[in-house]
Amino acid sequence: MRRRDLLAAAATAAGLAALSRAAGANASTSFGFALGSGALHGWAHVGIVRGCARIGLKPRAIAGSSVGAVVGALWAAGLAAEEIAGVARRLEWPSTAAGLTALLGARRRNHELREAVDRAAGGRQIQQLPVRFAAVASDALTGDSVALEAGPLGLAVEASCAVPALNEPVPIGNRMLFDGSLTAPVPVAAARRLGAARVVAVDVAYRPYEEAPTSGSDYAYQAMHIIGNALAREQTRQADHVIKLDVHHLMRQRLDIDALIEAGEAALLELAPRLAPK
């Protein structure tokens, strides 16, 4: 039996039905999601989308940072979890080798990501989406966190995902923007500004304790993760509910996409009883 089936068996039919009725009555007008950064760990966000569909929970607002902006944009555009996964599987995600090349000066714009998001969303602007959405990026010149709530969807997602070592900053208006994880790894405040009365923060970042560093470069990355996790802890304190996942073991030897998605779904279903209207 697949892990997903085990999850379904564990939850009583009566409990899910009651929560679904409550969600349909109230959650679509009150809940927001803050989907955090985490690179390939972000596959777990797809499980969050799938879990919400299972219990009938429709968010009022979605804010995403980095990979959370990718999943959040497509979710806000009305795509189901399977459709989001299909878009993501067609994208070429950077490898370690690509990262080392970039550090030597081969930075580029991520046109593929921008175009894929725009195609999937039917070319709509952010303000035209059926669910309010913001992609959170960082201003490369001021260090400010910038929530992009209007304008081209794919461009905003590209900016939120522009890793400094891999990608060039993305010009939007009078700003040069890159990775949202630098200033808002879990963008709770942005979700709140979009009108969500209750915010579910989803933190899928790599944890410093998940794999011991063994080299100088490992320790450099470890330092960045320590800073990012500290900022995420501060930001998630402002959320009403927090889903914090340790999923790096699901990609240490090989990337297990299905397991990452199932981990996100399981976490959402575990939280589900607490998501009933107050």
Side-chain angles (χ1 to χ4, degrees):
M1 183 180 287
R2 287 174 55 82
R3 280 167 287 186
R4 185 181 177 191
D5 298 326
L6 288 171
L7 291 171
T12 66
L16 282 178
L19 182 58
S20 180
R21 288 193 296 271
N26 190 53
S28 62
T29 61
S30 63
F31 272 97
F33 279 78
L35 302 183
S37 58
L40 291 173
H41 294 187
W43 280 103
H45 289 317
V46 179
I48 298 294
V49 178
R50 194 164 73 183
C52 284
R54 285 191 60 197
I55 65 173
L57 180 61
K58 298 178 181 179
R60 173 193 177 99
I62 303 164
S65 182
S66 198
V67 69
V70 180
V71 176
L74 299 177
W75 192 12
L79 275 70
E82 290 70 21
E83 295 173 303
I84 296 171
V87 173
R89 287 178 189 273
R90 291 190 292 271
L91 289 169
E92 181 180 348
W93 299 96
S95 65
T96 302
L100 293 175
T101 300
L103 289 173
L104 297 176
R107 295 187 306 161
R108 62 182 181 84
R109 288 282 301 274
N110 196 343
H111 300 299
E112 180 190 17
L113 173 61
R114 183 184 75 245
E115 292 166 0
V117 169
D118 280 335
R119 278 196 306 272
R124 285 173 290 179
Q125 301 273 301
I126 295 174
Q127 63 271 26
Q128 295 173 321
L129 300 180
V131 176
R132 293 203 66 188
F133 172 72
V136 178
S138 303
D139 190 311
L141 302 180
T142 67
D144 293 334
S145 181
V146 180
L148 300 164
E149 304 173 24
L153 180 64
L155 188 66
V157 172
E158 181 194 359
S160 184
C161 295
V163 180
L166 293 173
N167 305 115
E168 298 175 6
V170 176
I172 297 181
N174 61 351
R175 297 182 183 269
M176 298 296 290
L177 301 176
F178 55 19
D179 202 329
S181 69
L182 298 172
T183 54
V186 188
V188 174
R192 194 84 70 189
R193 283 197 302 272
L194 291 173
R198 296 169 66 187
V199 175
V200 180
V202 186
D203 180 2
V204 299
Y206 170 82
R207 316 293 171 204
Y209 51 75
E210 289 188 288
E211 190 166 350
T214 59
S215 67
S217 60
D218 285 349
Y219 277 103
Y221 282 114
Q222 188 82 331
M224 291 188 292
H225 289 308
I226 289 170
I227 294 169
N229 274 264
L231 181 54
R233 284 194 298 273
E234 290 298 317
Q235 293 179 339
T236 55
R237 287 193 179 105
Q238 308 306 313
D240 298 278
H241 306 281
V242 179
I243 294 175
K244 184 177 179 179
L245 292 169
D246 293 354
V247 293
H248 191 66
H249 64 283
L250 298 175
M251 55 180 291
R252 186 176 291 119
Q253 299 301 323
R254 68 178 184 86
L255 177 61
D256 192 339
I257 291 173
D258 290 337
L260 286 163
I261 293 174
E262 288 165 4
E265 182 180 15
L268 190 282
L269 294 180
E270 182 178 354
L271 179 65
R274 287 179 279 161
L275 299 182
K278 292 181 176 179

